[in-house]
Amino acid sequence: IKACADKLKRELEEFGFPPKFPETTTEVVQEETKADAVIKDKSKGKKSKAVAKSGSGKYQWQIMQSLGLSDDEIRKFADASHWLDHFPPLAVKDLRSIGLHVDWRRTFMTTDSNPFFDQFVRWQFLRLKAKNKVMFGKRYTVFSPKDN
């Protein structure tokens, strides 16, 4: 969420509102044809998971437009907290539409926007670390050099 919100902020700063993106060049098409030629096993997909998820949009703004959002609505997503207000009700609606029965009264955010949950997770990790159940340095983490 934070990465997408930051990407939208950068696109607004760089390309204005509504953004005027540069035209695509033939280099992109040439790169795609090279990638298609490399694949030897026809049973394997030609697109990576990231490419498949992003669709045809190169910029975050275009991806948001492909969801049917207006430019004025997309602008609000530059604030990461707007994502938490917008998408959860849509997810609940979709889950109900496929017949999922859930006690929705017990739902809560599992981010630092919920200070009670955040404090619980912090307490839990500190307790596990004190018991040597949590070790550091075993797995890579996402680090943004821009945000430090």
Side-chain angles (χ1 to χ4, degrees):
I1 290 172
K2 177 82 169 109
C4 292
D6 288 347
K7 195 171 177 187
L8 281 172
K9 281 182 200 170
R10 283 193 299 275
E11 289 174 8
L12 281 169
E13 291 169 3
E14 190 173 341
F15 302 111
F17 176 78
K20 304 275 189 285
F21 297 114
E23 295 294 321
T24 57
T25 63
T26 56
E27 292 174 21
V28 174
V29 176
Q30 290 173 350
E31 287 177 20
E32 288 176 3
T33 55
K34 286 179 187 175
D36 290 344
V38 172
I39 296 171
K40 295 182 172 138
D41 187 357
K42 292 182 181 180
S43 66
K44 304 292 182 193
K46 293 181 181 181
K47 292 185 178 180
S48 69
K49 185 177 179 182
V51 172
K53 287 174 98 175
S54 67
S56 62
K58 178 180 177 185
Y59 296 98
Q60 185 65 41
W61 196 279
Q62 294 169 332
I63 294 168
M64 301 298 282
Q65 283 178 324
S66 72
L67 296 173
L69 297 167
S70 68
D71 286 343
D72 290 326
E73 183 68 19
I74 296 171
R75 185 181 219 172
K76 296 175 189 174
F77 285 97
D79 175 22
S81 65
H82 185 69
W83 293 73
L84 300 175
D85 296 330
H86 182 82
F87 285 109
L90 296 176
V92 169
K93 181 182 161 203
D94 289 345
L95 291 170
R96 283 184 172 153
S97 73
I98 62 170
L100 186 71
H101 296 286
V102 172
D103 182 3
W104 296 107
R105 297 173 297 173
R106 296 182 175 261
T107 60
F108 57 93
M109 293 288 172
T110 58
T111 66
D112 58 0
S113 68
N114 180 345
F116 301 109
F117 182 78
D118 191 51
Q119 184 60 33
F120 167 71
V121 170
R122 192 177 312 272
W123 168 82
Q124 189 176 38
F125 270 94
L126 289 173
R127 186 173 168 126
L128 290 171
K129 183 181 178 199
K131 293 182 174 188
N132 290 325
K133 300 288 184 182
V134 176
M135 319 274 177
F136 290 96
K138 299 287 183 185
R139 180 179 158 175
Y140 292 109
T141 58
V142 177
F143 176 76
S144 170
K146 183 174 181 168
D147 299 328
N148 220 8

